[in-house]
């Protein structure tokens, strides 16, 4: 029996790679002789670069950078020949800022810009950048500044690229950043379809989870629209996907010419999930819900569609030997909403492993049943859930 373990990250609890390892432990406990194929799949947020690096069998290079508040931290990127994979979350992600320290008005994406520059300096000419889990709402200006751009006031003085200083910005010189990445192709990966501004924009939808309130949301939204006009790129503000990561997708696409590849299907292709499902009997997947984003209906449907996209309909039956000739079940583990990564192993690793074990043990008795399990993170037992 071959089981594909392909979870997304469990927001602010564990990365997709860590979740896959935990689930694999549970699978191995229940089915010691089965083959386990770990295929971490990230939506572009935390753990994305790590997951793709593993799928590419690439090397990981660490980078000294800063977090969203400008404090030193170590991030990195995966490099395979002239291509590199980066995720915003590893440098300027919300997960690195304690709840009491979060200040979106003074946060920026400068740290992401440093990682991008390091990847290009290392020889990368094709960048895959995952966006998700951001702590900022600076519409990517910090990233552009780190790459050489300048935000200027009415007298030509430089302005810090953070929301609290937006009203002082009268001109933005982006050509140095464009020259810095000349000859480099960029693909942005993520599953956010929100535009930069408006009632469904970056500030309105994702601002509250970063600490923004009503009046601040309205102000930032207006300033982002004004700054898009300053750049001569107002027509980009309403385009789907440009609101990802506090508007960082806007800067990457509108200013730097990146391609926006939105959706889990693209991310699944990056890690070769379709090909690996073709020989699988069972797909075990799951993730933690995103704050302010209903996950279960959308992502459960997407996960359930993966077998069909690989030519493996969920209704397939066991062959005469009792083993599965085609993928027949999709099991989804839905994680708890959480605001703390610590202690990660004690709080989340074992519950996830236990649920994977019980799913696989039950899988032998009811091989053609699609199972949806809710990982409550509480004292509820699996019998309570089922």
């Amino acid at each position: 029996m071959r089981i594909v373990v392909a979870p997304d990250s469990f927001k602010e609890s564990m990365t997709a790679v860590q979740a896959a390892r935990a689930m694999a432990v549970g699978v191995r406990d229940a089915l010691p002789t089965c083959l386990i194929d770990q295929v971490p799949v990230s939506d572009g947020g935390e753990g994305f670069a790590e997951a793709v690096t593993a799928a590419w069998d690439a090397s990981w290079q660490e980078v000294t950078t800063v977090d969203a508040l400008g404090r030193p931290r170590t991030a990195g990127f995966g490099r395979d020949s002239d291509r590199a994979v980066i995720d915003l979350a590893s440098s300027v992600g919300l997960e690195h800022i304690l709840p009491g320290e979060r200040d979106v008005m003074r946060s920026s994406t400068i740290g992401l810009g440093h990682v991008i520059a390091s990847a290009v300096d290392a020889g990368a000419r094709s960048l895959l950048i995952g966006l998700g889990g951001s702590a900022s709402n600076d519409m990517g200006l910090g990233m552009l500044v780190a790459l050489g751009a300048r935000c200027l006031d009415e007298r030509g003085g430089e302005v810090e690229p953070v929301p609290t200083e937006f009203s002082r910005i009268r001109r933005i010189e982006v050509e140095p950043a464009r020259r810095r990445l000349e000859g480099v192709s960029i693909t942005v990966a993520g599953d956010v379809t929100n535009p930069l501004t408006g009632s469904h924009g970056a500030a309105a939808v994702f601002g509250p989870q970063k600490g923004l309130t009503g009046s601040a949301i309205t102000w930032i939204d207006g300033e982002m629209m004004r700054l898009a006009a300053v750049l001569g790129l107002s027509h980009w503000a309403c385009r789907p996907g440009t609101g990802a990561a506090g508007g960082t997708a806007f800067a990457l696409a509108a200013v730097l010419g990146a391609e926006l590849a939105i959706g889990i299907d693209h991310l699944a292709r990056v890690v070769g999930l379709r090909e690996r499902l073709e020989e699988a009997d069972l797909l075990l997947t799951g993730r933690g819900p995103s704050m302010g984003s209903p996950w279960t209906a959308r992502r459960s449907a997407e996960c359930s569609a993966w077998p069909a996209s690989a030519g493996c309909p969920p209704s397939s039956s066991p062959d005469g030997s009792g083993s599965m000739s085609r993928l027949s079940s999709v099991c989804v583990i839905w994680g708890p909403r959480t605001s703390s990564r610590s202690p990660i192993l004690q709080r989340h690793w074992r519950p996830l492993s236990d649920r994977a074990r019980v799913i696989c043990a039950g899988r032998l008795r009811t091989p053609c049943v699609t199972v949806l399990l809710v990982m409550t993170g509480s004292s509820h037992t699996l019998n309570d859930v089922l």
Side-chain angles (χ1 to χ4, degrees):
M1 177 178 288
R2 178 183 292 273
I3 297 177
V4 171
V5 176
D8 196 343
S9 63
F10 285 71
K11 191 174 180 68
E12 298 187 57
S13 300
M14 59 174 65
T15 67
V17 170
Q18 291 168 327
R21 290 172 182 162
M23 294 163 79
V25 168
V27 170
R28 180 69 67 202
D29 286 346
L31 303 172
T33 61
C34 76
L35 297 176
I36 304 171
D37 187 7
Q38 296 182 46
V39 194
V41 178
S42 170
D43 63 0
E46 54 186 313
F48 174 76
E50 186 181 17
V52 175
T53 298
W56 286 354
D57 193 24
S59 61
W60 183 259
Q61 298 186 31
E62 291 191 341
V63 177
T64 299
T65 183
V66 294
D67 67 11
L69 294 175
R71 303 174 301 191
R73 69 165 285 96
T74 299
F77 60 90
R79 183 181 169 216
D80 177 32
S81 186
D82 66 347
R83 64 177 178 172
V85 59
I86 298 165
D87 64 50
L88 172 149
S90 67
S91 55
V92 294
L94 192 65
E95 62 184 295
H96 307 303
I97 313 294
L98 295 175
E101 298 176 339
R102 293 172 183 176
D103 185 356
V104 69
M105 297 298 289
R106 297 188 178 279
S107 296
S108 81
T109 50
I110 286 176
L112 172 63
H114 290 327
V115 179
I116 292 174
S118 294
V120 172
D121 289 344
R125 288 298 173 263
S126 174
L127 301 179
L128 176 61
I129 302 177
L131 298 185
S134 68
S136 60
N137 207 114
D138 71 344
M139 59 188 293
L141 292 182
M143 173 195 68
L144 293 176
V145 166
L147 292 170
R150 296 201 304 161
C151 296
L152 305 173
D153 62 20
E154 58 187 8
R155 296 184 178 180
E158 293 197 26
V159 179
E160 189 179 2
V162 294
T164 192
E165 300 292 335
F166 275 0
S167 61
R168 296 180 53 214
I169 299 175
R170 292 293 178 269
R171 186 158 53 95
I172 305 173
E173 295 181 350
V174 298
E175 286 308 316
R178 286 173 171 159
R179 289 195 297 269
R180 184 78 168 81
L181 297 185
E182 188 173 358
V184 177
S185 65
I186 305 173
T187 300
V188 174
D191 65 352
V192 169
T193 59
N194 304 72
L196 176 66
T197 59
S199 60
H200 298 290
V205 174
F206 303 106
Q209 74 187 56
K210 302 173 185 180
L212 288 179
T213 58
S215 59
I217 288 172
T218 302
W219 183 84
I220 285 183
D221 190 75
E223 283 296 304
M224 288 196 299
M225 178 60 77
R226 182 184 68 81
L227 292 173
V230 167
L231 286 164
L233 298 169
S234 295
H235 57 290
W236 277 88
C238 60
R239 295 197 182 185
T242 54
T248 304
F250 167 84
L252 284 165
V255 178
L256 299 178
E259 174 192 359
L260 296 182
I262 301 169
I264 193 67
D265 288 341
H266 171 79
L267 303 171
R269 286 196 298 273
V270 168
V271 297
L273 182 59
R274 177 189 175 98
E275 293 77 14
R276 293 158 90 164
L277 286 178
E278 290 176 351
E279 302 299 323
D281 301 305
L282 175 67
L283 166 64
L284 187 59
T285 184
R287 68 164 287 177
S290 298
M291 297 181 189
S293 177
W295 178 79
T296 48
R298 175 170 59 89
R299 187 55 56 83
S300 295
E302 290 170 339
C303 291
S304 297
W306 287 344
S309 70
C312 308
S315 59
S316 300
S317 300
D319 61 23
S321 67
S323 63
M324 302 305 297
S325 58
R326 304 184 79 181
L327 187 70
S328 65
S329 294
V330 178
C331 299
V332 179
I333 298 177
W334 181 34
R337 190 175 291 176
T338 179
S339 60
S340 175
R341 280 189 80 84
S342 180
I344 176 176
L345 297 183
Q346 295 89 330
R347 291 187 57 193
H348 302 291
W349 180 289
R350 181 48 58 187
L352 193 58
S353 174
D354 288 345
R355 281 153 180 74
R357 175 172 49 80
V358 173
I359 288 173
C360 290
R363 165 70 173 72
L364 295 178
R365 297 191 297 273
T366 55
C368 296
V369 176
T370 297
V371 181
L372 173 63
L373 285 182
V374 178
M375 179 179 163
T376 63
S378 68
S379 60
H380 295 173
T381 66
L382 285 171
N383 287 334
D384 294 333
V385 174
L386 295 172

